[in-house]
Structure formats: C-alpha cells, structure tokens
Amino acid sequence: MGYLKIKNPGLLTTIQDLGRIGYQQYGIPVAGAMDRYALELSNILVGNNRYEGVLEMTFMGAEIEFNINTKIAITGANMKPTVNGENIEMYKTIYINKGDILKCNGLIKGCRSYLAVSGGFDICKVMESKSTYLRAKIGGLKGRKLKPGDKLKVNKSDYTLGVRKIPKDLIPEYKDEITVRVIMGPEEDRFTKKGINTFLEEVYTITNQSDRMGYRLDGEKIEHLNGADIISGGISFGAIQVPGHGEPIIMMADRQTTGGYTKIANVISYDLPYLAQLKPGDKVRFEKTDISNAQNLIKKRESKILKLIDGFKKEKVKPKGEIRNFKIKFKGKTFNVGVQEIK
Amino acid sequence: MNELRYLPSGDSSLIIEVGNKISENINKKIRDLVYCINKAKIKGIVELIPTYSTILISYDPIKISFNGLVEKLKEVEKNMKEIKLPEALVIHIPTLYGGEYGKDIQYVSKHNNITTKEVIKIHSEAKYLVYMLGFTPGFPYLGGMSEKISTPRLKTPREKIPAGSVGIAGSQTGIYPIDSPGGWRLIGRTPIKLFNLDREKEVLLKAGDYLKFYPIDEEEYKEIEKKVKSNEYQIKKTILEGDN
C-alpha cells in the first residue's frame, strides 16, 4: 500500500474530518475540521466522501513526499503550494506521481489549509471519527500532530477520477478584517442594553491565545446585567461566551462540550468557515441576523454543492478498450507496463 | 415546574431549558425528555447534550428548520405521559479507600472531626446522581454528597492524578476518568475504567444514572483490575428503587 511521508509537518498539521458526532453527551468534544467548507471542497475534488479525513495545516504548511500515484487537492488558506518546485493550483484536482514532493512556501491568505488525498487515509477511527483531538490525545495519528518522518498510509484512489475544478463563485475570499453574522442568544437577556450595543458595534481582535478550541478576542468589554455565570450547559460551534472579564471567546471545533459562561450570540454556520481562517491580529465585527436567513444561506449553498457533485460525477473518466501490455527498457532495466485509453 | 423554554443557539442547535437551578427533579425530567426525544427519532436531530437543567440539541438545518423542530419537540413533550419511562440505573463502583490509593482520607476525616471509617461509611452509603458528563471525556458531575464529609480542594493542584481516583472537592465527589492534573482531595481509587477506548462502550456512565461506591480491600482491587484488563469484569448495575 502507498503512503505519504512527512518531511516537515509545518506548525500544526493534524488529520481532521467532520468530527466525533454523538459523543458530546459523554463529555467528548467534537473536534474535526475548523473550516468544514474547505474540508468538503477538498474531498469533493478527489472523489472522496465529503467528510473524509484530510490534513489540516495551520499557519505554516507541510512538506510531503508521496510514495504513491494518486490525486490530491488543496483548499482553504493559500500557502503557495508547489509540487517538485512548480506552483500548483488550489481548488483543483492535482495528479501526483510516486516520488513527487509537495511543499508549502508561505502563507498568503487565511490560516488553515486542507489537503485531501484520493481514497482517504488508512487509519483507525476512534469513536467513528478520524479527527485528532489533541487535548485527550485521541484520533488521527496517535492522537497527536504530525511530525517529521511520519508515514500516513493511503487507501486506493478512484482511477476514473478526472481533473475537477471548483467554480470561482464557490471559492471563498479571505480577508483579515471581516464581519460575521450572528444569531443573538441563548443568554442575550443576561446582558445590559449597553453590553449588547458594545458587542454589535465594536471591532474585536483575535488574540494570540486562540486555537482550535476557541478564539479569545480583545476589545471593548461587554457589560453583563447580573454576573457572567450560568449553570453549566451545552455549547455549540461558534457560540460566543462572555466571561466575567467582559471580553468574548468564540467556541470553535475543539471546544469543551459544556460551559458555565453566558453566551451572548452564536456565529451562523455559513460564516464559520471565514472565522476559522482568521489568525491572531485579524479583526472581526458582529452583525445580527435571524435564524431563517441563516438557515436559507446554508440551504442555498448545499444545493450548489450537490449540483457541483452531480456535474463532476458525469465527467467520470471512462476506460476504453483493452489493457495493452508493453515492455519498456529504461536505464538498463526492463519494465512491464499496462496501457489503457481513457476518455 | 415551569414551562419548557426553547431557545436558539445559533442556526444548528437549540436549547431546551427545563429549569434554572440544580435539582434532582429537574434532572430527572431531562433524563425522561432525552429518552422520549431519542425514541421519537425526529429527522434532522444530530445529537443531544443533557446537562444540569438544559438539553442542547444539535440539528441539521437542511433537514429541519428551527420552528419545525420546536413543533416536533412540543409534540414529544405533550405525549410524554403516555410513554413508559425506563427506571434509572445504579452503577456500583468498587472502591479501595485510603492508603496509597486515597492519600487525603486522613485530611478529610480531620477536617470534619470524624474517623476515616466514618468517612468511608458516609461516602459509600449515598447514591449519587450523574447530573451530566463533561470537563474531560467521561467525567461525571455527581450530586448528593453529605456535607459531613465536604472538604475544600488542595491549594496547589497535583500534576498527575491516576485514572480511577475518587475525590472530594467542596461538597462534590467525583472520579477521574483519565490521568489528569487536579486539586481534589483523594480518598480512594476504583479499578473500573470510566473511559476506555478498548471497550465497545467507551464511556461507562450516562447522565441520569446513579452511582454507588462500595468498599473493597487491596486483594479484591487487584483481582478486579486484572479482570478489567482482560475485559472480563462485569460491572454491577441495578435498578434504582422508588424511581418513577
């Protein structure tokens, strides 16, 4: 079986899929890709299940040697990827030959890049997911981030897969200052009117103490009505907690399952991928919207994705005719090569 | 009990607020509701997180809208009376108290002016409700400990507390599911694993279960430990008397 060899893992590269679903009731965080949209697009490009495990590379990407002929795709943050020194396109299926070296050469925009390999990684699932949850050291490769010398086994890729490309209107544009839309609550009534105005009018900066678990924000303090503590309750992706110090924390993929701070609002699902691409120093503002608007945005995008997948499926590369065998002499050695015409 | 409140938590989750305090009654209603919601198999529900006084329901907005889901949940609430609810389970936890396994038991007894024997008796007599799980994988938030053995936490937390340690923090008792740092006063240890990736059911407890500790000696501890390792140990579970 073929594999990938990690020559240099970059800053923080982990295997992530959609995360552990159904285990939060037992205190197990979901984990999974921070940017689920980029995760899906990368998988679609290589013919995988939309939520297959991929590599999430943070800030500084990896250098990887391929010990397999396969197809890959990179989405999310632009880390100037090259294969054997040549620039490659993002949001497009890339054919990889055994011995090729993929390298990331710096960060242009965004924060997290997603590398999908056709067929997916051949690793055991832990509680139905391949996602790495670093704090409890579960999932992914031994529950940790990748390090130099790691070998990741890869499943067989789909040989009928042609070159796919994501249309421009579906490729997100990342900025270092964004506005995300929120749905107010569930504890909106625990803040003063002034506090809510502060939250919706001020600009907040992502601090250095931000990671896969949560984004700590720096900015104008948000005033509570009567203290910041509530009885511990469940926390959803994008929930904005405001502890006693008044500065918001946005709960992300590795968030703990429950918490005891008031939540002023929740970032809408459609905007979460943009938020996941912010890095320390970037700025964010919050804009109020309603649930039906937020749910419509998600539905619209979903139908676009389904249409895209349908279109790709029709473009399958079909082999034509028999496999013909040839003997090839190269550098004194003789090779048997099978050739089949494809459409 | 007040009427249930349905609060949005973003566009893919909602919260059912059953009450706004920590009480066994409210938590029992949550256990019953979770049972009925699961049984109703509502299309679009992804998962439930039951906690002290609320349930967080995450759902797929492509399959069901907020209003659609609230409507279905209200139906479940209405039909609850007609459903036979299961009794609560009591999970029995063999515990070796004191010695190397429970280094702080003397402190707890001194702090409360009772003997260590009494500490063990009081701690192992009560049934503790698992209000919810969280904090670390499989960690139970337990209610029902007697004030007679309540003891403040350590001022400086220990760096590593072995999995299975049973401790007291204020008027709470708990078990550490995995090796972790912590400031609880340790009174004993169980050879049973609350969180075990090699087991089919990785997490032993669920919200709404009850726990009962029972004292064992070192010999029994070692025996159970062996059986746990080879996956042969049967954890004793009984039905809570007087429930429902």
Side-chain angles (χ1 to χ4, degrees):
Chain A
M1 191 182 285
Y3 61 87
L4 268 64
K5 193 177 152 196
I6 306 297
K7 290 176 74 98
N8 177 356
L11 194 65
L12 170 64
T13 299
T14 55
I15 297 173
Q16 300 293 346
D17 55 17
L18 198 60
R20 281 182 187 86
I21 315 286
Y23 292 86
Q24 288 191 85
Q25 57 178 310
Y26 302 118
I28 320 276
V30 180
M34 287 281 276
D35 181 343
R36 292 177 173 189
Y37 182 58
L39 165 84
E40 288 188 50
L41 293 185
S42 69
N43 277 317
I44 290 167
L45 286 168
V46 294
N48 287 351
N49 171 312
R50 283 165 71 177
Y51 307 117
E52 180 56 59
V54 306
L55 293 188
E56 180 182 275
M57 306 187 284
T58 319
F59 221 67
M60 238 172 71
E63 187 179 343
I64 297 166
E65 188 183 321
F66 288 84
N67 212 288
I68 184 174
N69 296 323
T70 188
K71 292 122 200 170
I72 63 164
I74 302 175
T75 60
N78 186 346
M79 294 182 173
K80 290 205 254 177
T82 55
V83 170
N84 303 333
E86 304 257 335
N87 289 334
I88 54 164
E89 254 182 88
M90 292 184 55
Y91 292 94
K92 186 185 163 186
T93 315
I94 305 287
Y95 279 57
I96 291 286
N97 292 315
K98 204 168 172 173
D100 281 354
I101 290 175
L102 170 82
K103 201 178 165 190
C104 297
N105 301 280
L107 184 70
I108 295 178
K109 257 182 187 164
C111 181
R112 289 164 229 277
S113 202
Y114 293 83
L115 167 66
V117 180
S118 186
F121 297 109
D122 180 30
I123 55 161
C124 284
K125 286 186 178 181
V126 175
M127 287 175 272
E128 298 171 63
S129 165
K130 292 182 182 175
S131 287
T132 316
Y133 175 54
L134 295 166
R135 270 188 183 75
K137 301 186 184 75
I138 54 179
L141 188 72
K142 297 170 190 159
R144 60 163 170 79
K145 64 178 188 174
L146 300 185
K147 56 184 191 194
D150 278 343
K151 284 180 184 171
L152 291 172
K153 282 199 257 172
V154 175
N155 293 319
K156 270 209 170 114
S157 72
D158 177 2
Y159 75 98
T160 64
L161 184 77
V163 172
R164 297 176 172 186
K165 225 176 148 172
I166 303 291
K168 242 189 166 166
D169 65 311
L170 283 176
I171 299 176
E173 197 190 323
Y174 304 132
K175 291 179 183 144
D176 42 26
E177 188 167 341
I178 63 170
T179 297
V180 295
R181 286 159 287 187
V182 298
I183 289 159
M184 298 305 289
E187 282 101 38
E188 185 188 5
D189 56 1
R190 295 290 305 270
F191 295 87
T192 62
K193 210 167 173 198
K194 188 180 152 215
I196 289 168
N197 286 340
T198 306
F199 170 68
L200 291 170
E201 280 161 19
E202 294 299 324
V203 56
Y204 289 89
T205 308
I206 315 288
T207 68
N208 280 325
Q209 289 151 320
S210 299
D211 56 16
R212 286 183 38 87
M213 189 175 176
Y215 281 5
R216 283 175 183 273
L217 306 183
D218 183 35
E220 203 67 38
K221 289 179 176 40
I222 297 164
E223 189 180 73
H224 289 92
L225 198 60
N226 192 12
D229 295 347
I230 54 164
I231 298 170
S232 273
I235 305 176
S236 43
F237 200 167
I240 305 170
Q241 287 187 332
V242 186
H245 55 57
E247 289 180 313
I249 303 170
I250 312 181
M251 307 307 287
M252 302 299 280
D254 279 359
R255 68 196 176 279
Q256 67 270 31
T257 54
T258 59
Y261 294 127
T262 42
K263 298 172 284 292
I264 191 166
N266 206 109
V267 179
I268 67 169
S269 305
Y270 189 91
D271 288 347
L272 277 174
Y274 294 92
L275 187 67
Q277 291 292 350
L278 293 188
K279 51 192 179 305
D282 289 348
K283 290 181 166 58
V284 61
R285 284 174 190 275
F286 301 102
E287 185 188 300
K288 193 170 146 178
T289 186
D290 61 35
I291 298 183
S292 62
N293 181 38
Q295 296 189 335
N296 278 335
L297 284 166
I298 283 293
K299 277 192 220 160
K300 263 190 210 154
R301 186 163 70 189
E302 176 67 10
S303 57
K304 275 187 192 170
I305 292 177
L306 289 179
K307 233 170 146 183
L308 182 73
I309 296 174
D310 259 11
F312 283 154
K313 277 187 179 159
K314 283 178 195 142
E315 287 168 16
K316 256 193 180 177
V317 176
K318 283 187 196 113
K320 209 168 77 179
E322 296 285 303
I323 297 178
R324 295 194 294 171
N325 289 303
F326 295 92
K327 275 204 168 95
I328 292 176
K329 262 193 183 173
F330 183 67
K331 286 187 179 169
K333 283 181 186 168
T334 309
F335 296 87
N336 277 318
V337 180
V339 176
Q340 187 178 26
E341 192 184 345
I342 53 174
K343 230 176 162 178
Chain B
M1 211 169 291
N2 299 330
E3 226 179 280
L4 304 189
R5 286 173 75 201
Y6 296 88
L7 307 164
S9 177
D11 55 27
S12 309
S13 294
L14 67 78
I15 285 171
I16 306 181
E17 193 185 271
V18 179
N20 51 15
K21 59 176 185 216
I22 299 173
S23 92
E24 249 185 277
N25 268 336
I26 289 171
N27 206 248
K28 184 181 178 307
K29 177 137 192 206
I30 285 181
R31 166 163 62 89
D32 294 345
L33 255 172
V34 166
Y35 176 80
C36 294
I37 294 168
N38 282 332
K39 210 167 177 243
K41 291 197 167 40
I42 299 166
K43 206 179 138 199
I45 289 189
V46 177
E47 65 179 308
L48 307 182
I49 315 177
T51 58
Y52 282 112
S53 53
T54 59
I55 305 168
L56 184 120
I57 301 181
S58 82
Y59 63 94
D60 183 348
I62 292 158
K63 292 188 179 131
I64 194 163
S65 68
F66 174 77
N67 289 333
L69 182 55
V70 170
E71 217 170 279
K72 293 250 165 147
L73 291 168
K74 281 188 172 161
E75 244 170 73
V76 171
E77 192 193 336
K78 229 192 319 179
N79 299 333
M80 259 179 83
K81 286 175 207 110
E82 289 149 36
I83 292 173
K84 194 185 173 296
L85 299 160
E87 285 113 337
L89 284 177
V90 184
I91 319 283
H92 297 261
I93 308 287
T95 308
L96 175 54
Y97 286 97
E100 263 304 291
Y101 298 82
K103 287 178 191 164
D104 303 325
I105 200 162
Q106 268 90 9
Y107 185 91
V108 174
S109 75
K110 253 191 221 157
H111 181 83
N112 290 288
N113 281 320
I114 50 174
T115 64
T116 55
K117 258 191 178 165
E118 281 171 304
V119 173
I120 296 170
K121 187 167 179 285
I122 293 166
H123 189 261
S124 60
E125 246 173 16
K127 287 190 187 82
Y128 302 98
L129 170 61
V130 179
Y131 276 103
M132 58 186 241
L133 300 167
F135 174 53
T136 57
F139 179 85
Y141 287 88
L142 301 174
M145 197 185 79
S146 165
E147 283 297 332
K148 286 179 197 157
I149 51 172
S150 85
T151 315
R153 286 164 202 260
L154 288 172
K155 282 212 178 76
T156 315
R158 292 188 175 98
E159 266 175 40
K160 192 183 165 185
I161 290 168
S165 293
V166 177
I168 290 174
S171 48
Q172 274 188 82
T173 184
I175 310 172
Y176 283 88
I178 52 175
D179 292 351
S180 43
W184 293 47
R185 305 275 176 184
L186 306 181
I187 59 166
R189 199 184 302 168
T190 177
I192 284 182
K193 287 183 173 167
L194 265 54
F195 179 60
N196 183 0
L197 285 175
D198 300 327
R199 194 166 53 200
E200 199 198 321
K201 237 184 109 202
E202 296 91 351
V203 174
L204 176 68
L205 307 170
K206 62 177 193 298
D209 285 343
Y210 283 80
L211 284 194
K212 195 169 181 308
F213 298 92
Y214 68 95
I216 52 170
D217 60 30
E218 198 161 354
E219 208 175 299
E220 289 170 286
Y221 183 97
K222 296 242 151 95
E223 217 168 280
I224 296 171
E225 196 178 33
K226 232 194 240 165
K227 282 188 183 167
V228 166
K229 259 193 191 142
S230 55
N231 258 330
E232 283 168 78
Y233 185 73
Q234 285 285 332
I235 293 159
K236 190 180 160 197
K237 294 179 186 178
T238 55
I239 284 163
L240 182 74
E241 282 165 48
D243 191 36
N244 280 332

